[in-house]
Amino acid sequence: MSDYGHDLVFGSFTTPGNDDPDRTVGLAVLAEQVGLDLVTFQDHPYQPRFLDTWTLLSFVAARTDRVHLSANVTNLPLRPPAVLARSVASLDLLTGGRVALGLGAGAFWDAIEAMGGRRLTPGQGVRALAEGIDVLRQIWDAEARGGVRVDGEFHRVVGAKRGPAPAHPVPIWLGAYKPRMLALTGRRADGWLPSLAYLEPGDLARGNTIIDDAAQEAGRSPADVRRLLNISGTFATVGRGPLHGPAEQWARELAELALGDGISTFILASDDPDDLRRFAGEVAPAVRELVSAERDRDAASVRTPAEVLADTQPAAVVAPTAPPARARVSAGAFAVVPTPDDGRRLSDRQVWDETARPTGPAPDPARTYTAHEQATGQHLVQVHDGLRAELAQIHDLIEQVAAGEIDAGAARSQINTMTMRQNRWTLGAYCESYCRVVTTHHTIEDQALFPRLRQADPRLRPVVDRLEQEHHVIHEVLEGVDKALVAYVGAPDGLAELRAAVNLLTDALLSHLSYEERELVEPLARLGVL
């Protein structure tokens, strides 16, 4: 059993196809919107069907704000390491520290040679990669004295100036399978990045052993090397094999990989938007919860009596630090804070009478809630935060249209990939993806949230009825945005109408989300209907 204690990271592995560049970029943007941590693209510079990976990463970096980016993995034989070092550092500086470097020794040697690269044997490839890492790290070490000097067998740099230094220590992850590459990973790299499809049973354990031994021989800790894994699979209602089944099955299997083989970064190879939503919305939260619970049990089992006693003593009074906007909740009084409606409106139109909204029963102030119960309500807020982020993205798209940076057709294409556009916003089918998020460990894919709330607490029926009515309205408002975009294609002077449609959507959606959180975050925790 190997658990190196790393924080869990979830990412996407998107095909960099050039047949529909907008869709390729849109999938990367969607990965950020649904809450994934990392976006990666394969790097095959000899493949004419693909966009150039570093150009694509730069473009995606400009379209995103939070998600980290990496090639998966960079083809070193066709990317000279000194130039690559400056490319990586530059993009890391431009993104404020959001770049990682997946790196490979090379494959498909006929294609590499056809592009002007040198054909290498497996042993030569490992040595060339080791030299390349030397070049990269020396270029990035901008404060060291003297020029970069690597007089290698395959890479020779004699006095090149150092820098720029990246914005943060860029991790180097190696795509490794054979013993020599695995040993190099343990000695020199920050992460091991294989693909599950290329591994046989037991390969993860054997690879970890080689990496751990090499790390210790080099004076490093095995925990210095993050374990990443490219995965693929199929979401289905019934389990039919590994990573082929419902999200709960995926979560169990990935948690086993995390706790048993030390995998802390899971990267889903899929170009299906719904797969990304389910992976981010259902699988990732469940894996985090399962792994956290097991780590907590392990930690508790090795605590000394003095440590247990210390937890029962009053804590020292210290000046608290500012909590994150969405702090993790724990057991006790209900602490999930609904997002308030600030009352600001952008449109002169009103699509409903907000004063006529019914309210549900007041919470019992004496009731306490478990951490799991509170997390249910918190999930709703988090998913709504994703919808709010999408709304900001729509505003940004409209401004890009207004500035002539993209056309209305491209804006429509991107909006149509968003969660809020994919959802039907009607009846019990409202926000299917968020229902899956809120019900992390439950299988209710063919059931609706609202009917269950009505059944569990009849006092909520007026609130649920009103929310369903508002879903119909939001659907119509979204249709209005789409129609305004279509009209703008034929009448470029219709920008005012387009902005008005988006302003109306903003007013309706933000008001609705705040109302829903106000009325439902506590009942979701209290009733346990999901």
Side-chain angles (χ1 to χ4, degrees), residues 461-476:
R461 286 178 180 173
V463 171
V464 172
D465 290 346
R466 172 65 186 227
L467 288 170
E468 286 192 336
Q469 293 167 11
E470 293 190 4
H471 296 163
H472 284 287
V473 176
I474 290 173
H475 174 76
E476 294 171 359

Side-chain angles (χ1 to χ4, degrees), residues 494-512:
L495 184 60
E497 288 76 10
L498 179 56
R499 283 201 172 109
V502 174
N503 287 343
L504 184 62
L505 173 63
T506 301
D507 291 350
L509 185 62
L510 294 183
S511 170
H512 172 80

